[in-house]
């Protein structure tokens, strides 16, 4: 019996893994590499930052370890609070990656919450889409905004589960479900996942994938957590495809009623 | 000639091109991108692009992030 492909398709490219991971907050390059391998992720986010003048030139660059030929590198616009900065960062990232134009757009509103600034996000989306970028956009769980971003040409819409780095999980599954039901592009939960069950919950709802960083990097054992997340994503996806049983208000016995021993 | 790199003052000879800056920073052969006065200068032009007095140059690379 042939297996029907259940790959994740973003901007026409197929991926087998529905777990996308960040590369920040790890102890060192070795841990970064080991955790990413354990996660099975194919799409990996990076940040774009100034080189340190006077930095040790022998220190390996992240992209020497997590190489663009083995992974799909997804540059983000973390640290950008204006559309202008986000656009500049994406253009620099495209130059950095030899013309690859898949980007994660995030335009933040304030440092304490790292909540997305939707007004600036929409401005940046318009400029970037016109400039030929394939935009995966970090946003809130507002269904109208999500649809608008899709209609402007984003290749994926990524509502937050909870605040970046908070580990609070999927706080508003109802909105995310509403977003998903109306979407014609992949919806991925990005931000707030804390442990394996959070990832499984997102996938059970029917989300196409989950992007996480802190959940793995800040775990007691990041490599083990990466592996747990990989399984959680697979389990959640399979449960979604299997079609869960309906919820019932009262009990429904699993064992037959006939032939119970009597007095 | 004095100009700025990543927000800091730098001095190179008057004929310096971006490739000279890259060498002085120990970044030859590294995966970087460069902006001069908010305009991206592609890798293919690094050898020929002359830096001017007071130019604001940004040299970036990829690092870990979520």
């Amino acid at each position: 019996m042939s297996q029907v492909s259940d790959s994740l398709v973003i901007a026409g490219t197929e991926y087998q893994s529905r777990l996308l991971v960040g590369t920040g907050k790890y102890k060192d390059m070795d841990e970064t590499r080991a955790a990413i391998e354990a996660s099975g992720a194919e799409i990996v986010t990076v940040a774009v930052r100034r080189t340190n003048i006077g930095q040790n030139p022998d220190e390996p660059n992240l992209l020497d370890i997590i190489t663009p030929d083995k992974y799909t590198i997804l540059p983000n616009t973390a640290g950008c609070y204006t559309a202008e900065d986000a656009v500049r960062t994406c253009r620099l990232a495209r130059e950095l990656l030899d013309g690859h134009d898949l980007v994660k757009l995030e335009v933040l509103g304030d440092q304490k919450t790292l909540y997305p600034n939707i007004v600036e996000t929409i401005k940046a989306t318009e400029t970037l889409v016109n400039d030929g970028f394939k935009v995966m956009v970090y946003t809130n769980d507002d269904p109208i905004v999500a649809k608008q971003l899709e209609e402007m040409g984003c290749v994926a819409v990524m509502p937050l589960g909870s605040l970046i780095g908070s580990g609070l999980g999927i706080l508003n599954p109802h909105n995310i479900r509403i977003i998903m039901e109306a979407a014609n592009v992949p919806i991925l939960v990005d931000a707030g996942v804390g442990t394996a069950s959070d990832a499984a919950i997102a996938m059970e709802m029917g989300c196409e994938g989950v992007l996480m960083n802190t959940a793995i990097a800040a775990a007691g054992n990041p490599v083990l957590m990466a592996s747990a997340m990989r399984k959680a994503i697979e389990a959640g996806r399979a449960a979604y495809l299997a079609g869960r049983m309906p919820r019932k208000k009262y009990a429904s016995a699993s064992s037959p009623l006939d032939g119970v021993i009597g007095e | 000639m004095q100009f700025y790199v990543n927000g800091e003052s730098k001095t190179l000879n008057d004929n310096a091109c971006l490739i000279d800056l890259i060498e002085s920073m120990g970044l030859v052969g590294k995966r970087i991108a460069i902006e001069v006065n908010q305009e991206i200068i592609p890798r293919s032009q690094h050898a020929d692009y002359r830096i001017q007095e007071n130019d604001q140059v940004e040299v970036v690379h990829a690092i870990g992030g979520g």
Side-chain angles (χ1 to χ4, degrees), chain A residues 1-61:
Chain A
M1 187 163 71
S2 70
Q3 227 178 359
V4 178
S5 164
D6 183 42
S7 43
L8 167 64
V9 181
I10 297 176
T13 301
E14 278 189 34
Y15 301 92
Q16 299 316 308
S17 170
R18 293 174 176 276
L19 174 56
L20 290 65
V21 298
T23 50
K25 292 179 166 174
Y26 288 101
K27 194 175 70 187
D28 53 37
M29 286 291 188
D30 277 337
E31 191 179 75
T32 309
R33 186 198 42 78
I36 290 173
E37 262 176 44
S39 74
E42 294 164 273
I43 301 174
V44 173
T45 66
V46 300
V48 176
R49 291 286 183 271
R50 291 170 160 177
T51 58
N52 298 330
I53 301 175
Q55 176 183 41
N56 177 6
D58 294 326
E59 200 180 291
N61 185 270

Side-chain angles (χ1 to χ4, degrees), chain A residues 206-219:
Chain A
C207 292
E208 293 277 356
V210 179
L211 202 163
M212 65 176 75
N213 190 153
T214 309
I216 296 175

Side-chain angles (χ1 to χ4, degrees), chain B residues 9-66:
Chain B
S9 174
K10 179 113 181 150
T11 305
L12 286 178
N13 72 55
D14 288 348
N15 294 328
C17 292
L18 285 178
I19 189 68
D20 302 306
L21 172 63
I22 293 168
E23 265 171 34
S24 76
M25 292 170 78
L27 295 172
V28 176
K30 303 282 184 174
R31 194 180 276 273
I32 56 171
I34 299 185
E35 229 191 30
V36 178
N37 302 331
Q38 303 204 9
E39 197 191 305
I40 293 184
I41 309 301
R43 200 167 304 154
S44 54
Q45 293 176 28
H46 289 178
D48 301 317
Y49 189 95
R50 276 259 189 84
I51 304 170
Q52 311 288 329
E53 183 86 18
N54 288 329
D55 270 351
Q56 304 267 0
V57 181
E58 293 282 340
V59 182
V60 300
H61 64 168
I63 62 161

Side-chain angles (χ1 to χ4, degrees), chain A residues 5 62 113 126 181 183 193 198 247:
Chain A
S5 164
L62 175 66
T113 65
E126 181 166 10
E181 283 166 7
V193 166
D198 298 329
R247 289 181 166 87

